Amino acid sequence: MRRHSSRALAVGFALFMGMAGSALADSKDYEFQLLDKEVKQGAAVISVKLVHKPSGRAVGDAVIFAKRIDMGPDGMEEMTAPLDPEDSTASGVYRFKTYLGMAGDWALSLGAKVQGETGTVENKLIIKALK
């Protein structure tokens, strides 16, 4: 009888750990989404939303530690622009002020840490600057 209770306990523990592991999110469960895919050439504000993909909810407590914008999609990765954070009134929306000196496709690269999650959320989003 003791064997059965030990085995049942081990199986129950394994099931519990499997359920607990599936409840934890992974950095791959998050992504940045552009709110506007096109902006005017020159001074611009780019807004993105950080989303938890399985639930669709916006994530407002991330720490963005890496940001870059360049013309890599048009073969000019060395053409960069300044990118400064701006305040946002919407939870989960992150805004960046920039100056896109040329019309064309720009790559916005972002890296972030989501509170309570391991790993890094990294995305490269393509924005078109119009004349």
Side-chain angles (χ1 to χ4, degrees):
M1 189 140 202
R2 232 172 213 268
R3 266 194 184 160
H4 292 291
S5 61
S6 296
R7 191 175 306 167
L9 182 61
V11 169
F13 182 74
L15 286 171
F16 173 77
M17 291 307 291
M19 289 184 336
S22 66
L24 297 175
D26 184 270
S27 61
K28 292 178 178 82
D29 289 338
Y30 297 88
E31 72 178 0
F32 284 100
Q33 299 172 347
L34 280 172
L35 295 183
D36 296 310
K37 295 182 191 247
E38 297 178 344
V39 296
K40 287 260 188 201
Q41 172 188 346
V45 175
I46 299 169
S47 297
V48 297
K49 185 184 335 182
L50 180 58
V51 176
H52 179 248
K53 293 187 287 187
S55 69
R57 71 175 169 80
V59 179
D61 59 353
V63 176
I64 297 176
F65 64 87
K67 57 192 182 322
R68 174 185 166 93
I69 192 161
D70 63 60
M71 288 196 80
D74 282 350
M76 297 182 280
E77 193 170 295
E78 67 282 349
M79 172 76 101
T80 62
L83 196 61
D84 298 311
E86 287 252 312
D87 288 337
S88 175
T89 57
S91 178
V93 174
Y94 301 86
R95 295 168 35 106
F96 302 94
K97 183 177 168 184
T98 188
Y99 186 87
L100 305 176
M102 241 177 122
D105 290 332
W106 291 77
L108 173 64
S109 301
L110 297 171
K113 294 293 253 178
V114 175
Q115 302 297 332
E117 303 296 345
T118 58
T120 301
V121 179
E122 295 179 287
N123 287 124
K124 188 177 280 193
L125 307 166
I126 308 302
I127 302 150
K128 183 170 277 304
L130 306 172
K131 286 188 179 188

